[in-house]
Amino acid sequence: MVLRARSTDRIYHLHRLIAAGGMGEVYEASAPDISRTVAVKRMMEQNATDENLLPLFLREMLVASTLEHHNIVEVIDVGKAKNELFLVMELVAGPTLAEILEAYKSRSARLPLNVACGLAMQIAQGLAHAHERCQPDGTPLGIVHRDVAPENVLIGHDGVPKLVDFGLAKLNGQDLTQPGIIRGRPRSLAPEQARGDPTDARADIFALGATLFEMVSGECLYPQETIATLLYRVASGDYEPIGLRIPNADPGLIAIIEKALSPNVSARHRSARQFERALGSFRATRELRLTTQAIAEVVHQTWPTIVERRHEVMQHNEGELYGQTIVLPADELKLLARAPSLQGTLQKRRRATTSNGRPHSLNAPLTRAARSRPRFEEAQFPQRSPSSIPSRALFGCRWNPADRLYTTVITLTATLFLGLLWFISRTY
């Protein structure tokens, strides 16, 4: 679903509290004009009262809602009510990856290797989709999650992992973080991010490597550190060698994790797509097959423990907004849709065409064929200028080199065939 400007206000009825944390509270909710149950995230009150934050928050949410991928949580609606910001998302009925890892840890067990590698690959696919999003002229949107961690990976009972909180990510140098504030969890933070240096998609690669390490080892990358020591070590990338932490792991897997966790940005995988391919090759050579049913079985096995722990934490906290109703006005989304600064970013949906050549509606979802089209090879860093790379109008994506080679071969073959026919006709 693409977030669209509404002509009327939308009413949400808030039910039970699902989760609570530093960024706010998440409620299960329903709306009369939406056929499914959704999750409504209430942002922190001190942020919601900042009038300068609302336009940027809405802009980030609108762009985040264009991310249509089965490994990314869908953004449905956004707005401000009662002087607070609310984000409406797809409800994923299941635990977070952090809760699953904690359940395994409580039993002194580790996540099966095939499940760990399979989950990391699917997270990489979601990241690659976001990192590769482009404007119509081929200019990357520059989306960087900056908080890839087990807490932000939701796994449904169907066994499909989904990344959440993409709407709070960095977008072309703009973010919701105020100067001097480091965004992200320290245990999976890239060194350049901890230092406050400019970040790109490779910061997410580091965080994904830290998440994979945690799944394989059952431990955090920086365990049992005081906050002062932790920040110093994170900023310098000073962690104990991976090979010593998991000596019994496969050397091929250790090499992949070490490359992703390199303190030197240029030594990491160049993109999430490259990370995915490296992990896919490792799985293929080791025959680590995985199905969604296998992941669903892991969720099923750990779910009773997770539910019990959630009940212990939430039993005395129903949430301030439990049973209440909020109204998200249409005016904010209508004004946002007309904002000149968004035209270049969002017009690609209007100018896009389907596989049969007909115009693609702004509000229509991408077809399965369109979502599966090959994209441009993983981004090179530093980015090349758009003018130096052939581009196409379809969803603002660049030509894959394989497409150009295929077109060239077909053209040459057709030319030779026509020439042969002409020669035969002249000879006989």
Side-chain angles (χ1 to χ4, degrees):
M1 174 186 282
V2 175
L3 184 63
R4 65 190 70 181
R6 291 181 278 101
S7 59
T8 59
D9 298 345
R10 177 172 284 167
I11 301 173
Y12 290 96
H13 304 288
L14 305 184
H15 309 311
R16 65 186 181 92
L17 182 66
I18 301 175
M23 288 300 296
E25 300 173 326
V26 181
Y27 292 86
E28 184 179 298
S30 59
D33 59 338
I34 298 181
S35 59
R36 54 177 169 164
T37 305
V38 297
V40 174
K41 185 170 186 177
R42 172 198 185 191
M43 308 306 293
M44 288 192 305
E45 185 174 354
Q46 58 266 38
N47 286 337
T49 55
D50 185 355
E51 293 299 329
N52 296 324
L53 180 61
L54 180 59
L56 182 58
F57 175 79
L58 293 175
R59 182 181 186 276
E60 298 274 359
M61 292 302 106
L62 191 55
V63 175
S65 70
T66 67
L67 298 177
E68 297 177 285
H69 194 275
H70 62 280
N71 295 124
I72 296 178
V73 170
E74 176 187 357
V75 175
I76 299 174
D77 202 357
V78 64
K80 188 174 183 180
K82 302 178 181 179
N83 289 323
E84 293 182 300
L85 296 174
F86 291 91
L87 171 64
V88 183
M89 304 173 291
E90 152 191 21
L91 177 64
V92 179
T96 66
L97 177 56
E99 289 176 319
I100 290 179
L101 294 178
E102 186 62 30
Y104 269 91
K105 190 175 181 179
S106 66
R107 298 183 303 189
S108 299
R110 294 183 183 178
L111 201 63
L113 183 60
N114 64 328
V115 174
C117 293
L119 288 174
M121 276 193 64
Q122 294 191 55
I123 297 170
Q125 291 171 5
L127 284 173
H129 173 78
H131 294 164
E132 293 169 357
R133 296 298 285 178
C134 300
Q135 295 186 29
D137 61 357
T139 304
L141 284 175
I143 300 177
V144 182
H145 191 289
R146 298 193 304 159
D147 198 11
V148 178
E151 290 82 359
N152 280 335
V153 178
L154 306 179
I155 304 178
H157 288 280
D158 57 357
V160 178
K162 293 177 180 283
L163 267 172
V164 71
D165 270 357
F166 251 107
L168 303 180
K170 170 179 170 285
L171 173 68
N172 270 347
Q174 302 184 24
D175 57 68
L176 295 175
T177 306
Q178 298 181 10
I181 296 179
I182 298 174
R183 181 168 152 67
R185 290 167 175 79
R187 73 182 189 188
S188 58
L189 213 58
E192 68 274 14
Q193 191 175 344
R195 294 191 299 265
D197 296 340
T199 57
D200 54 37
R202 291 169 295 181
D204 286 346
I205 303 302
F206 186 98
L208 180 55
T211 300
L212 176 57
F213 171 79
E214 189 167 345
M215 286 191 284
V216 172
S217 67
E219 301 176 350
C220 300
L221 187 60
Y222 299 96
Q224 299 177 348
E225 296 281 355
T226 63
I227 187 63
T229 305
L230 176 61
L231 290 178
Y232 174 80
R233 294 189 62 187
V234 169
S236 58
D238 179 22
Y239 54 82
E240 188 177 350
I242 302 302
L244 297 180
R245 296 279 297 276
I246 45 176
N248 297 326
D250 190 293
L253 180 60
I254 292 177
I256 293 174
I257 296 176
E258 287 179 337
K259 185 177 178 66
L261 292 177
S262 173
N264 182 2
V265 179
S266 60
R268 294 176 204 154
H269 300 89
R270 292 175 295 174
S271 68
R273 194 71 70 190
Q274 189 186 57
F275 179 93
E276 175 200 350
R277 283 199 291 265
L279 202 53
S281 298
F282 169 78
R283 289 180 59 204
T285 56
R286 305 306 191 274
E287 297 185 351
L288 296 174
R289 296 182 177 87
L290 180 69
T291 62
T292 54
Q293 289 79 8
I295 301 177
E297 181 62 27
V298 169
V299 174
H300 176 72
Q301 291 175 356
T302 57
W303 188 240
T305 303
I306 293 171
V307 170
E308 182 180 353
R309 188 164 297 157
R310 282 185 177 182
H311 180 70
E312 293 175 357
V313 174
M314 309 292 289
Q315 62 178 339
H316 300 301
N317 183 14
E318 292 184 343
E320 294 182 19
L321 302 182
Y322 172 75
Q324 297 189 26
T325 298
I326 62 171
V327 179
L328 300 186
D331 294 342
E332 292 165 352
L333 285 178
K334 287 195 293 185
L335 289 173
L336 185 65
R338 295 195 296 266
S341 61
L342 285 179
Q343 297 304 315
T345 300
L346 300 179
Q347 283 295 328
K348 64 178 180 293
R349 297 288 295 175
R350 296 188 178 93
R351 287 197 288 265
T353 57
T354 59
S355 57
N356 58 13
R358 293 194 296 268
H360 197 294
S361 168
L362 172 64
N363 294 325
L366 296 176
T367 63
R368 182 181 299 274
R371 282 196 296 266
S372 62
R373 280 192 180 92
R375 293 185 177 274
F376 186 73
E377 183 65 22
E378 67 267 15
Q380 303 291 327
F381 297 94
Q383 295 281 1
R384 292 179 290 178
S385 63
S387 60
S388 66
I389 306 173
S391 62
R392 58 178 174 178
L394 184 60
F395 303 115
C397 298
R398 301 165 185 164
W399 277 105
N400 189 307
D403 294 338
R404 296 180 61 83
L405 178 61
Y406 176 78
T407 304
T408 302
V409 171
I410 291 297
T411 303
L412 290 175
T413 303
T415 303
L416 291 174
F417 180 73
L418 291 175
L420 181 61
L421 289 179
W422 177 84
F423 176 77
I424 293 175
S425 64
R426 296 285 292 180
T427 303
Y428 299 102

